[in-house]
Amino acid sequence: MKKIYYLKTCDTCRRILKEMNTSEYILQEIKTEPITVKQLDELYALTKSYEVLFSKMAKKYKQMDLKSQILTENDYRQLILDEYTFLKRPVVINEKEVLIGNTKKRISFSK
């Protein structure tokens, strides 16, 4: 499967998509088509972590004071399902490889 989860209002997502040849990818805009439980669990199967999929840069992370809380993998999972902004983006799936995030510091690969 080749798929990209992105947010169309995100400048970085737009830049990355513009630089890529996305013709072979299924594009899913996560605000208008939220990630499903099944999709998130498929990402977990590739990454072995919900935390790596979680964006601590989201405004709501600060608003909800999540930094001061001890979050479990189940917490990260539920937060991503509840609020699309908590999914680190873009998420690019290229068969069995996944790229998460948008900067060298935050990019993660898993096979």
Side-chain angles (χ1 to χ4, degrees):
M1 171 176 62
K2 290 186 172 190
K3 186 163 192 169
I4 301 173
Y5 297 94
Y6 74 102
L7 188 59
K8 70 180 178 182
T9 57
C10 171
D11 290 336
T12 305
C13 287
R14 288 196 304 251
R15 179 183 50 81
I16 290 170
L17 290 175
K18 190 176 182 180
E19 293 172 1
M20 289 179 65
N21 176 1
T22 60
S23 62
E24 295 182 15
Y25 289 84
I26 297 167
L27 300 176
Q28 182 170 334
E29 204 281 329
I30 60 173
K31 184 175 182 179
T32 57
E33 187 182 344
I35 193 163
T36 66
V37 171
K38 182 180 177 190
Q39 290 169 330
L40 186 56
D41 291 344
E42 287 170 350
L43 287 175
Y44 178 83
L46 293 170
T47 62
K48 305 296 186 233
S49 172
Y50 291 111
E51 184 176 5
V52 76
L53 297 165
F54 187 84
S55 174
K56 293 179 181 175
M57 303 295 284
K59 290 178 184 177
K60 287 201 173 196
Y61 182 75
K62 187 175 182 178
Q63 290 171 353
M64 295 172 69
D65 194 30
L66 296 175
K67 185 176 183 177
S68 66
Q69 299 177 33
I70 298 171
L71 299 174
T72 66
E73 283 290 299
N74 284 334
D75 293 330
Y76 288 119
R77 180 181 183 272
Q78 192 58 54
L79 286 163
I80 292 168
L81 290 171
D82 290 344
E83 178 59 47
Y84 69 91
T85 60
F86 284 131
L87 180 65
K88 195 179 288 186
R89 58 199 180 269
V91 176
V92 180
I93 303 168
N94 188 1
E95 305 302 334
K96 297 290 182 189
E97 187 176 61
V98 62
L99 171 103
I100 304 162
N102 55 38
T103 66
K104 286 183 182 179
K105 182 179 176 185
R106 295 190 299 156
I107 290 176
S108 300
F109 287 99
S110 178
K111 290 188 179 188

